[in-house]
């Protein structure tokens, strides 16, 4: 070793010494950072009000952690970004009752969505999503619940269900989960009180993160099994950085209800979490969400696959979690804490992106909008193609009902519209995984081409 260093010319030796010094400084900075974080953890422990696993009220937990609690309460804030955020609008144009304020209708923004969802509840009412504070009231108020029968399974992702699952299952959350899934919506919603709360993401003993939703526990275990990890237990086996995404993936994922009476909330991940792997689960089960009113296709509805889409992007690959962007550390005086004001990171670019990207907030925002704009254009082309294909099918059904080529073409409609909806329902307009969103929309347009070919060529 010494021999080797002697062989190095003087200039290089100095370079190495400088590099070593820099490395030392970096290590010290890292240790200081870790120490600071530990201090934050500890200072968080001066409990003002007692709480444990039986206390669901976020105000009680919040009395001990006022910064996190105050930011959590701010999820009522609403501001628009070009493709995201949210904005309050009256339920109907002449509605003056402030309680009926909702977020804007996506159906009015883009009527092509109605053609895609013809005959399904989503064609009645579908709105821009907004902050966590509204999750329970928005679900109770949507026409999809008021005008259609829905199961208790809807509540898994729209309320603090931690305690309800235990009560309904006599202490066993998995049993309670099954009971609530199968209940009618009205009975189930009477069992919950709060939107997602501290108890759903945190262990009261040490405030570490935990997964509290059986559907995610099962879903992630099924997915990990495809990667060769048997008997995966998320609360035992996941790293802290993984948990910073998994707590969100309890809800921000594609799902379906399995069983006509059981309505078991299920994440279709037994073959993987890419769109084609999810689609093949639906194929295998011959699952349909509804029968398309215009064409008779066995149609599928995709729902907010943020976790699945993010997992295909460069940030997931680089170990960047949902919380890194959506719950950035913020400083208040000498204290640093995780903002619980979960919202569009474009409203907090400096805190959300600045930690890793040394670029001005304006430039960072422009980079995101550049990706989103391109996704939006391609999404429009795909929707135009789909609407045209649906009219072709409608015409064919009239002139040659039940012809074998129609049956084949309907399969293409089923798959193509699931793929388009997958990008449409994903809420980042392509940002979480730009190339993946493009690949899926390109595939959808090709499926429509094949479907039209099936219709016109024998
Ligand atoms: C690298 C940063 C980053 C990561 C990591 C990330 N997101 Fe996002 N997310 C964004 C950006 C940027 C947008 C676009 C916001 C907009 O258009 O206003 C977005 C949009 C969203 C939206 C819609 C927000 C709105 O206001 O309409 C949701 C929901 C969301 N992300 C959830 C997630 C979840 C869940 C994860 C983890 C599985 C995740 N995000 C990971 C940056 C990130
Ligand atoms: C697996 C979790 C999950 C389940 C189950 C679930 N939701 Fe949601 N829901 C979400 C997430 C995440 C959002 C926000 C993202 C979005 O709107 O795409 C949302 C948004 C909504 C919204 C506001 C935006 C809109 O679509 O108009 C309504 C209303 C809603 N859900 C109703 C329901 C109903 C009714 C059910 C039962 C049929 C249900 N949800 C089941 C996770 C879920
Ligand atoms: C949707 C999940 C979720 C909910 C709900 C939630 N938190 Fe958190 N919380 C997080 C995440 C993610 C972190 C970051 C944890 C980490 O880095 O290990 C965090 C961190 C914390 C920390 C550690 C210090 C810090 O700021 O990083 C405290 C204390 C905390 N939360 C308190 C609360 C309180 C009080 C509530 C209820 C008012 C609450 N949390 C609700 C997800 C959540
Ligand atoms: C219990 C289920 C659940 C969990 C856990 C959850 N979300 Fe949500 N999230 C929702 C629902 C439901 C909505 C839509 C509420 C509405 O529109 O009324 C939503 C809305 C959002 C929005 C849109 C906010 C806006 O202002 O437009 C973002 C961003 C978001 N969630 C990110 C996250 C992140 C990041 C995590 C993890 C730290 C997370 N969510 C954890 C269910 C959940
Ligand atoms: C914890 C670190 C981290 C955070 C926070 C983060 N990024 Fe990144 N980002 C990365 C890494 C790592 C890459 C991969 C490129 C690289 O290695 O230089 C990347 C790449 C990107 C790219 C290029 C994408 C591509 O396909 O090549 C964009 C655009 C981007 N980030 C935007 C954002 C935005 C916007 C935010 C905030 C909302 C954000 N990032 C937050 C670490 C981060």
């Amino acid at each position: 070793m010494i021999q080797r260093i002697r062989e190095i010319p003087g200039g290089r030796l100095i370079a190495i010494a400088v590099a070593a010094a820099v490395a030392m400084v970096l290590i010290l900075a890292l240790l200081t950072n870790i120490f600071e974080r530990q201090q934050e953890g500890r200072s968080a422990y001066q409990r003002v009000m007692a709480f444990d696993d039986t206390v669901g009220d976020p105000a009680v937990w919040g009395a001990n952690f006022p910064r996190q609690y105050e930011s959590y309460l701010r999820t009522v804030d609403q501001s628009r970004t070009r493709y995201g955020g949210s904005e309050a609008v009256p339920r109907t144009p002449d509605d003056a009752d402030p309680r009926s304020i909702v977020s804007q209708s996506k159906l009015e923004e883009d009527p092509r969505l109605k053609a895609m969802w013809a005959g399904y509840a989503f064609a009645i009412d579908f709105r821009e999503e907004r902050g966590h504070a509204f999750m329970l009231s928005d679900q109770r108020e949507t026409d999809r619940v008021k005008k259609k029968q829905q199961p208790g399974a809807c509540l898994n992702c729209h309320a603090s269900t931690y305690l309800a699952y235990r009560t309904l299952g006599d202490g066993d959350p998995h049993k309670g989960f099954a009971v609530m899934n199968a209940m009618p919506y009205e009975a189930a919603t009477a069992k919950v009180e709060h939107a997602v709360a501290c108890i759903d993401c945190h262990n009261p003993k040490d405030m570490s993160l935990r997964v509290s939703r059986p559907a995610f526990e099962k879903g992630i275990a099924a997915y990990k099994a495809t990667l060769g990890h048997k008997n995966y237990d998320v609360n035992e086996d996941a790293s802290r950085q993984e948990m910073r995404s998994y707590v969100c993936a309890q809800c921000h994922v594609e799902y379906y209800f399995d069983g006509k009476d059981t309505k078991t909330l299920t994440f279709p991940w037994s073959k993987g979490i890419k769109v084609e792997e999810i689609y093949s689960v639906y194929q295998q089960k011959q699952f349909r969400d509804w029968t398309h009113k215009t064409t008779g296709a066995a149609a599928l509805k995709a729902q907010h696959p943020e976790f699945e889409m993010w997992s295909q992007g460069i940030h997931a690959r680089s170990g960047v979690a949902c919380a890194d962007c959506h719950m950035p550390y913020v400083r208040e005086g000498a204290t640093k804490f995780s903002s619980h004001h979960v919202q569009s990171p474009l409203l907090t670019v400096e805190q959300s992106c600045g930690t890793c990207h040394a670029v001005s907030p304006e430039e960072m925002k422009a980079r995101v909008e550049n990706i989103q704009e391109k996704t939006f254009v391609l999404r429009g082309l795909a929707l135009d193609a789909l609407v045209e294909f649906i009219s072709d099918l409608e015409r064919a059904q009239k002139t040659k009902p039940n012809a074998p080529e129609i049956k084949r073409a309907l399969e293409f409609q089923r798959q193509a519209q699931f793929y388009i909806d997958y990008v449409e329902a994903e809420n980042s307009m392509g940002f979480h995984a730009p190339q993946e969103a493009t690949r899926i929309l390109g595939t959808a347009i090709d499926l429509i081409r094949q479907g039209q070919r099936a219709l016109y060529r024998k």
Side-chain angles (χ1 to χ4, degrees), residues 188-236:
T189 200
K191 304 280 178 201
V192 296
E193 240 182 293
H194 304 286
V196 65
C198 327
I199 198 170
D200 298 289
C201 293
H202 291 290
N203 184 331
K205 287 203 193 86
D206 55 4
M207 291 307 279
S208 60
L209 292 176
R210 71 173 168 200
V211 159
S212 57
R213 298 298 196 274
F216 183 76
E217 280 172 37
K218 283 188 228 160
I220 195 75
Y223 170 49
K224 294 283 181 178
T226 68
L227 306 175
H229 194 142
K230 292 213 178 73
N231 303 321
Y232 185 83
D233 177 345
V234 64
N235 283 312
E236 294 290 326

Side-chain angles (χ1 to χ4, degrees), residues 85-86 129-132 134-135 138 156-158 196 213 247-248 250-252 322 326-327 342-344:
S86 44
E129 89 289 7
R130 49 182 176 166
H132 283 170
F134 297 108
M135 64 169 68
D138 279 349
N156 183 80
C157 312
H158 283 265
V196 65
R213 298 298 196 274
V247 289
C248 316
Q250 302 186 85
C251 303
H252 287 269
C322 314
H326 288 278
M327 296 182 65
V342 175
Q343 60 178 342
S344 162

Side-chain angles (χ1 to χ4, degrees), residues 159-420:
S160 180
T161 57
Y162 186 87
L163 291 177
Y165 284 161
R166 271 156 187 78
T167 315
L168 289 170
D170 301 319
D172 176 359
H174 286 258
K175 203 172 125 198
F177 168 68
V179 172
M180 188 182 269
N181 283 333
M183 286 165 94
Y185 182 82
E186 293 68 28
T189 200
K191 304 280 178 201
V192 296
E193 240 182 293
H194 304 286
V196 65
C198 327
I199 198 170
D200 298 289
C201 293
H202 291 290
N203 184 331
K205 287 203 193 86
D206 55 4
M207 291 307 279
S208 60
L209 292 176
R210 71 173 168 200
V211 159
S212 57
R213 298 298 196 274
F216 183 76
E217 280 172 37
K218 283 188 228 160
I220 195 75
Y223 170 49
K224 294 283 181 178
T226 68
L227 306 175
H229 194 142
K230 292 213 178 73
N231 303 321
Y232 185 83
D233 177 345
V234 64
N235 283 312
E236 294 290 326
D237 300 336
S239 68
R240 172 179 163 212
Q241 187 61 7
E242 285 175 323
M243 288 302 269
R244 287 164 54 84
S245 293
Y246 289 171
V247 289
C248 316
Q250 302 186 85
C251 303
H252 287 269
V253 294
E254 162 63 3
Y255 70 88
Y256 72 106
F257 298 145
D258 199 19
K260 217 165 157 287
D261 303 314
T262 50
K263 297 281 180 195
T264 308
L265 172 65
T266 310
F267 302 164
W269 298 344
S270 58
K271 293 172 190 285
I273 56 172
K274 289 206 194 95
V275 67
E276 59 271 28
E277 291 161 342
I278 289 174
Y279 184 71
S280 78
V281 169
Y282 291 140
Q283 285 301 85
Q284 190 183 33
K285 297 191 77 78
Q286 292 287 295
F287 182 82
R288 75 170 72 187
D289 279 305
W290 88 104
T291 301
H292 196 274
K293 199 171 153 201
T294 321
T295 68
L300 295 165
K301 176 79 188 75
Q303 333 250 7
H304 35 73
E306 276 90 60
F307 171 68
E308 295 90 332
M309 194 70 100
W310 159 85
S311 73
Q312 300 306 310
I314 186 69
H315 285 106
R317 214 185 164 89
S318 314
V320 186
C322 314
D324 287 318
C325 297
H326 288 278
M327 296 182 65
Y329 283 111
V330 288
R331 199 173 266 287
E332 209 177 271
T335 328
K336 243 176 24 173
F337 65 98
S338 303
S339 169
H340 282 57
H341 182 186
V342 175
Q343 60 178 342
S344 162
L346 296 187
L347 301 168
T348 53
V349 175
E350 205 149 347
Q351 293 100 323
S352 291
C353 323
T355 37
C356 300
H357 295 282
V359 174
S360 75
E362 295 72 38
E363 168 60 14
M364 218 54 225
K365 212 164 148 231
R367 286 185 189 177
V368 175
E369 286 176 356
N370 179 33
I371 291 169
Q372 292 180 316
E373 177 72 34
K374 286 171 183 160
T375 314
F376 185 71
V377 167
L378 194 55
R379 165 195 174 276
L381 294 179
L383 276 171
D384 282 343
L386 179 71
V387 170
E388 188 190 281
F389 183 31
I390 289 173
S391 322
D392 291 352
L393 276 160
E394 189 182 16
R395 220 173 306 121
Q397 291 279 34
K398 281 191 191 125
T399 52
K400 43 180 181 181
N402 303 320
E405 60 266 30
I406 296 182
K407 208 168 158 239
R408 258 181 295 137
L410 287 176
E411 281 292 315
F412 285 110
Q413 185 202 341
R414 167 178 159 93
Q415 189 174 4
Q417 75 170 53
F418 180 67
Y419 277 42
I420 296 171

